[in-house]
Structure formats: structure tokens, C-alpha cells
Amino acid sequence: MDWVIEARDLVKTYKMGEIEVNALRGVSFKIERGEVLSIMGPSGSGKSTMMNTLGCLDRPTSGEYILDGESVGEMDDDQLASVRNRKVGFVFQSFNLLSRLTALGNVELPLRYAGLTEGRKDRARAALEAVGLGDRMTHRPYELSGGQQQRVAVARALVNNPAIIMADEPTGNLDSKVGKEIMNLLLNLNKDLGTTLIIVTHDPKIAEQTQRVIRLRDGELDPASDEHKGDHS
């Protein structure tokens, strides 16, 4: 089996003064390359901590996390940032676009961070065309609709050919029609490119469209977790 993610006994403990908060309590699972998976759980369940860990925004207190063959738990901040830029594409609820940059400029950012100069604009253009925004490359975020801004964010997530895409409530700031379009876009890109897609969501309708659901409760895997549902349509 080709695992893109292996999480083994992940523990994350935050210290708040004299109090220790156990956000993750020995969580273990694996994710196959090319899989579409959702992470669900109520507020305080640990799903945001899980996203930050899987996305290399933070490291576990203990346990092992292997992303695309690299063990990231013992990496320093610079190494973690390098892995994050190479291996992870992020799509956030709030788009997180830079207002001073065009759509093309925003999509180029991960390539700039990676130090790539040759072919950078061509790759950014190709990513925008892949999400249907070939005619909006010179527009700035304020000149785009919410759905178009999220498409720019998806293109930015894809441009480095990451091992995984982490989508945190990707339809949360969109109306239902546009949200459905963004979900269809993400699922179609998964089919076409084979990129592993991990969606953090509280919406059962979103989770129903994924192949598998991991549910967290109080920092642990819920007994009803890890539901395999076959291929999405």
C-alpha cells in the first residue's frame, strides 16, 4: 500500500500557565495516496490541531508523523517550513489572498518561496487555467467574486504539485451553489491529478462526498471513525 500519511500515536499538549490541555491523545491512522478524506468533530475535538499537524504548521508533542516518506516530528522550524511548502497545499475558508497581488501573483507565491524562477509564471498560469480562471489572471482579489477568489486559492494550493491538499472549511464563506462548484472542482482535480485531498469540515453534506471520514472527539478517534465508503461519484 502506498501511504502518503502515517500518523502513529500522535499526542499534542498545550501548556496554558499551570494547565495542560491535551488536544490530541494518541491518534493513529494512515491515508493512502490519492485518497479523498474528511476530518470531522465538534468544537474542541482536536480537528484544528490535527489539521495543523498534518499540514506541518505545528509538530506533535510525541508520536510519529510521516508525510510522503519524511518523518517530520523532529524537524526544526526551517525544515518544517520547507516540507510544508513542498508537500502541502492549503485552501482556507477565508481565501487568504494578498490584496496587492493579482491572481497570477498570488498563485506564484509558493513557487517564490521555493526559490523557483524558471517557468514560474507558466506554472502559475497553468494552475489558474486548471481551475477555470484563465481570463482572470491580472485581476486582484477585490475584483473577483468569492467563488473566484477560492478558485485562485485552489490554484495556489496546486501549483507546487503537493503530496496533499488540506482544505479547511473550503466552502464555509460561499453560498450553497458556489460551494458546490468548489467541491466539484476539488474532487475533479483529485480525479485528474491524483492529489490526496483532506477536508476539515463540520458539514455532513461535504463529508458525504469524500471516500472516508475520520471523526475526532476529545482529542481521540471517535469509535464511529474511519468509515470507508468507496469511491466518490
Side-chain angles (χ1 to χ4, degrees), residues 2 12 23 27 30 78 95-98 103 112 114 118 123 167 174:
D2 186 9
K12 182 63 181 180
V27 176
K30 296 179 180 179
D78 289 342
F95 317 140
N96 287 11
L97 302 179
L98 295 183
R112 287 181 181 273
E118 187 174 349
R123 282 177 62 173
L174 305 171

Side-chain angles (χ1 to χ4, degrees), residues 3-57:
W3 304 114
V4 70
I5 281 177
E6 297 179 67
R8 301 170 182 163
D9 296 319
L10 293 183
V11 172
K12 182 63 181 180
T13 302
Y14 296 101
K15 289 191 176 181
M16 302 175 66
E18 298 296 315
I19 301 172
E20 288 191 348
V21 177
N22 297 310
L24 295 177
R25 304 167 182 257
V27 176
S28 298
F29 59 87
K30 296 179 180 179
I31 299 175
E32 190 176 352
R33 192 177 305 277
E35 197 169 359
V36 181
L37 175 142
S38 51
I39 297 176
M40 299 190 75
S43 179
S45 63
K47 64 181 187 295
S48 293
T49 301
M50 179 63 73
M51 187 202 76
N52 289 343
T53 302
L54 297 183
C56 298
L57 293 165

Side-chain angles (χ1 to χ4, degrees), residues 66 110 196 204 230:
I66 300 173
T196 307

Side-chain angles (χ1 to χ4, degrees), residues 150-225:
Q150 194 61 300
R151 285 175 181 267
V152 174
V154 172
R156 181 184 58 194
L158 285 170
V159 75
N160 250 354
N161 299 317
I164 63 172
I165 288 181
M166 296 286 306
D168 183 16
E169 303 284 4
T171 64
N173 279 348
L174 305 171
D175 65 42
S176 57
K177 179 178 180 293
V178 177
K180 186 175 181 180
E181 291 174 359
I182 293 297
M183 271 303 298
N184 287 338
L185 171 66
L186 288 168
L187 294 173
N188 286 332
L189 289 170
N190 164 264
K191 287 180 181 178
D192 294 341
L193 303 177
T195 307
T196 307
L197 177 60
I198 302 170
I199 301 174
V200 179
T201 184
H202 70 279
D203 187 346
K205 292 181 180 178
I206 298 294
E208 284 171 6
Q209 298 176 66
T210 66
Q211 296 167 332
R212 186 174 158 210
V213 181
I214 286 179
R215 299 179 190 277
L216 292 170
R217 185 174 297 276
D218 298 328
E220 300 178 323
L221 289 185
D222 191 285
S225 188

Side-chain angles (χ1 to χ4, degrees), residues 66-111:
I66 300 173
L67 171 59
D68 199 27
E70 294 188 59
S71 182
V72 301
E74 300 300 320
M75 290 183 176
D76 62 28
D77 288 346
D78 289 342
Q79 291 170 318
L80 203 64
S82 175
V83 169
R84 183 169 63 243
N85 192 58
R86 288 184 289 112
K87 305 280 191 182
V88 187
F90 290 99
V91 180
F92 296 101
Q93 178 177 344
S94 56
F95 317 140
N96 287 11
L97 302 179
L98 295 183
S99 60
R100 60 185 172 82
L101 296 180
T102 63
L104 187 66
N106 271 283
V107 175
E108 279 187 80
L109 280 177
L111 302 175

